[in-house]
């Protein structure tokens, strides 16, 4: 468990008082004891226990509400976990908030026990965890204590009933890029989908989005991670060519490998991508994706945040760390109506109220999933260009 805080003023004062008491005791040892029988020692009542005395474990805090950050601080995912923890520290400093205290707990040693410790130590709100399986371990513990969870996962199956997801969900980005493609005349769609849970959910959203927008999915092919699997999927799809647009629901690197194969059968095809591309720092250097469209959160404010993060911590942040920063901004905003020591006002999260952060505007739907205002970007040589800005407000 790690926590960024300074030594309380009362503790420093206690150190000074202890030193003065030691000097007084030394002076008393140098006094002359009179002859004769010593008087009976005076019976004194024991001193009262001060409510501000330092106690084992975390000190009591009557001036701030406790928030727990549950992220992996060791193990394979320690890098992103520590980046999220740094982001929360930066957000507290930037917001100059003095009503919220964040304590970090390592989920790599057990997410359920970490949640139990956090709640036992007074946490009234949980930020994290990062992984869906950790959210499942934390959920029953948090629900039993009526403590809301703001998770960084993008697995919509773990949302609801006190669990809120801030992660970027593939469904929203696919719906946004398909809608934009339709507005630009793309009618016949193809899809290349990896055999995974992500791919399964992406394909369902893709089919629904194309149908609802008046387009047509001509071919939908899946592939695994074996060598040559994507090429085989493209060869199967080519039988139904040509296409106006093809969604490759995979990373930027995988899409860059598949795009040239797709263009052999459909030279004028528009390649479409998902929010995964936004976490690929080298996306602009992938020439095979020149002209491709993908939908994601905005990067405008993130660039400023990343520069500030590097200046403070001496390293670049993980792209997902902005979720930690925005979770703190949301908490700080609500803290104005959060009485010290009272339960977190969860009703604010269910109200449909919109929030602004590094990743743009968002709000929580009835399902507990963050609905985000997404922009559409086009990959260009040496960079990306916004071809459809994020909407200024949410449609009701």
């Amino acid at each position: 468990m790690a926590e960024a805080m300074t030594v309380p003023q009362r503790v420093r004062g206690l150190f000074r008082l202890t030193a003065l008491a030691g000097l007084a005791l030394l002076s008393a040892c140098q006094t002359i004891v009179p002859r004769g029988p010593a008087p009976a020692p005076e019976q004194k009542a024991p001193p009262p226990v001060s409510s501000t005395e330092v106690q084992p474990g975390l000190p009591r805090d009557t001036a701030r509400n406790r928030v727990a950050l549950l992220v992996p601080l060791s193990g394979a995912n320690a890098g992103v976990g520590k980046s999220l923890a740094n982001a929360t520290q930066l957000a507290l400093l930037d917001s100059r908030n003095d009503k919220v205290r964040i304590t970090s707990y390592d989920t790599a040693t057990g997410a359920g026990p970490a949640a139990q410790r956090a709640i036992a130590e007074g946490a009234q709100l949980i930020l994290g965890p990062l992984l869906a399986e950790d959210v499942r371990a934390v959920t029953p513990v948090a629900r039993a204590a009526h403590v809301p969870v703001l998770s960084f996962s993008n697995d919509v199956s773990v949302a609801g009933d006190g669990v809120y997801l801030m992660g970027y969900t593939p469904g929203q980005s696919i719906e946004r890029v398909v809608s934009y493609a339709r507005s630009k005349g793309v009618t016949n769609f193809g899809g290349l989908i990896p055999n995974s849970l992500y791919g399964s959910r992406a394909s369902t959203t893709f089919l629904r989005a194309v149908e609802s927008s008046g387009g047509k999915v001509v071919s939908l092919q899946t592939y695994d991670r074996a060598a040559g699997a994507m090429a085989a999927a493209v060869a199967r799809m080519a039988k139904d060519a040509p296409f106006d647009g093809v969604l490759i629901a995979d990373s930027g690197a995988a899409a860059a490998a598949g795009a040239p194969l797709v263009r052999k059968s459909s030279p004028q095809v528009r390649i479409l991508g998902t929010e995964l591309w936004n976490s690929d720092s080298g996306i602009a250097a992938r020439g095979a994706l020149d002209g491709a469209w993908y939908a994601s959160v905005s990067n405008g404010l993130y660039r400023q945040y990343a520069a500030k993060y590097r200046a403070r911590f001496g390293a670049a942040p993980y792209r997902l760390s902005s979720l930690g920063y925005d979770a703190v901004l949301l908490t700080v905003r609500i803290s104005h109506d959060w009485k010290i020591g009272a339960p977190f006002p969860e009703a604010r999260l269910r109200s449909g109220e919109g929030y602004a952060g590094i990743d743009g505007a968002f709000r929580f739907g009835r399902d507990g999933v963050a609905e985000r205002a997404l922009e559409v970007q086009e990959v260009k040589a040496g960079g990306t260009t916004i071809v459809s800005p994020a909407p200024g407000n949410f449609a009701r």
Side-chain angles (χ1 to χ4, degrees), residues 68-71 126-130 135 138 148-153 164 327:
L69 175 68
L70 271 60
V71 289
I126 291 175
L127 307 183
L130 174 64
V135 178
V138 166
V149 175
L150 279 176
S151 170
F152 306 132
S153 171
Y164 302 83

Side-chain angles (χ1 to χ4, degrees), residues 8 33 63 106 168 216 218 244 294 300 364 372 375 390:
V33 180
D106 187 4
Y168 320 125
K216 181 180 180 182
V218 180
D244 301 324
Y294 68 98
F364 292 104
R372 295 186 174 276
E375 65 185 22

Side-chain angles (χ1 to χ4, degrees), residues 7-213:
V7 177
Q9 182 65 37
R10 64 173 181 271
V11 176
R12 292 197 296 267
L14 182 59
F15 293 160
R16 290 194 295 268
L17 288 173
T18 303
L20 291 175
L23 290 176
L25 181 61
L26 179 61
S27 298
C29 292
Q30 295 174 341
T31 57
I32 300 174
V33 180
R35 295 182 178 180
E42 182 180 355
Q43 298 296 323
K44 295 183 179 180
V49 178
S50 171
S51 61
T52 61
E53 183 179 353
V54 178
Q55 303 293 331
L58 289 180
R60 289 188 293 268
D61 195 335
T62 59
R64 291 173 292 182
N65 281 313
R66 286 195 182 280
V67 175
L69 175 68
L70 271 60
V71 289
L73 297 174
S74 59
N77 295 305
V80 65
K82 290 176 181 177
S83 193
L84 281 161
N86 289 342
T88 61
Q89 291 183 37
L90 193 57
L92 282 179
L93 291 172
D94 288 348
S95 63
R96 299 180 181 178
N97 182 269
D98 59 356
K99 294 183 178 180
V100 173
R101 178 180 186 174
I102 298 179
T103 306
S104 298
Y105 299 82
D106 187 4
T107 56
T109 58
Q116 291 173 341
R117 289 196 303 273
I119 292 172
E121 292 174 352
Q124 299 138 311
L125 173 67
I126 291 175
L127 307 183
L130 174 64
L131 305 178
E133 56 264 34
D134 287 343
V135 178
R136 293 187 181 96
V138 166
T139 296
V141 178
R143 283 178 181 162
H146 305 289
V147 172
V149 175
L150 279 176
S151 170
F152 306 132
S153 171
N154 66 351
D155 187 340
V156 297
S157 69
V158 299
D161 194 15
V163 177
Y164 302 83
L165 260 59
M166 294 196 65
Y168 320 125
T169 59
Q172 293 181 35
S173 69
I174 291 172
E175 290 171 353
R176 178 75 167 96
V177 77
V178 166
S179 176
Y180 177 74
R182 285 290 295 123
S183 73
K184 296 301 179 181
V186 177
T187 301
N188 296 318
F189 291 81
L192 289 170
I193 311 293
N195 284 318
S196 63
L197 179 59
Y198 179 93
S200 175
R201 290 174 176 164
S203 64
T204 300
T205 301
F206 178 56
L207 291 168
R208 183 175 62 244
V210 172
E211 180 182 2
S212 64
S213 64

